[in-house]
């Protein structure tokens, strides 16, 4: 159990060290937009997509101004939920299925 707590502390430290949370971004906002991610984004419900666009625009604005959000507005490790991951997993599964079918 002690090892698990240590790993969790390291994860939290790394999460904060990465810095995207200081701009109000979530982990899934930072994914490289390859074809799979682009397809997953098309499948997002409208409210999740709009929230993502808002976070990215705000982060770009802050970055241009060389600013970060006040600490109470940073995205917290515990609150960062992988909103895109279920859609991305489905897209990747479908692509692998298509590739396997095309090999036949």
């Amino acid at each position: 159990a002690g090892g698990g707590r240590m790993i969790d502390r390291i994860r939290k430290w790394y999460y904060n060290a990465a810095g995207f949370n200081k701009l109000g971004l979530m982990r899934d906002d930072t994914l490289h937009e390859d074809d799979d991610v682009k397809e997953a984004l098309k499948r997002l419900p409208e409210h999740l997509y709009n929230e993502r666009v808002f976070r990215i625009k705000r982060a770009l604005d802050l970055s241009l101004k060389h600013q970060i959000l006040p600490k109470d507005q940073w995205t917290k490790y515990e609150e960062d939920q992988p909103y895109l991951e279920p859609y991305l997993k489905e897209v990747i599964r479908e692509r692998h299925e298509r590739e396997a079918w095309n090999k036949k």
Side-chain angles (χ1 to χ4, degrees):
R5 283 192 297 257
M6 179 62 137
I7 290 172
D8 199 42
R9 278 190 292 205
I10 292 170
R11 285 183 182 147
K12 287 180 183 180
W13 173 85
Y14 184 77
Y15 182 86
N16 286 314
F20 60 82
N21 66 317
K22 297 172 185 166
L23 298 172
L25 293 172
M26 299 175 88
R27 259 186 305 248
D28 283 357
D29 297 335
T30 66
L31 292 174
H32 173 69
E33 288 192 23
D34 60 13
D35 291 338
D36 291 338
V37 172
K38 288 178 184 175
E39 180 59 33
L41 287 170
K42 290 178 187 176
R43 298 179 184 195
L44 273 179
E46 187 176 4
H47 75 282
L48 289 178
Y49 181 79
N50 290 339
E51 290 169 4
R52 173 189 166 89
V53 169
F54 170 79
R55 287 190 302 272
I56 291 172
K57 284 184 176 184
R58 178 179 58 184
L60 286 170
D61 183 55
L62 288 165
S63 181
L64 286 170
K65 294 175 182 176
H66 300 282
Q67 297 176 346
I68 61 173
L69 290 170
K71 192 166 186 168
D72 64 328
Q73 293 180 33
W74 292 3
T75 306
K76 293 166 190 61
Y77 175 80
E78 298 79 15
E79 296 170 358
D80 191 339
Q81 298 300 317
Y83 67 92
L84 189 59
E85 187 178 331
Y87 300 94
L88 185 57
K89 283 182 178 179
E90 181 70 13
V91 167
I92 292 169
R93 185 193 62 74
E94 289 173 3
R95 180 173 48 80
H96 288 154
E97 197 174 280
R98 237 183 348 270
E99 289 169 354
W101 180 260
N102 290 335
K103 284 182 183 178
K104 290 183 180 183

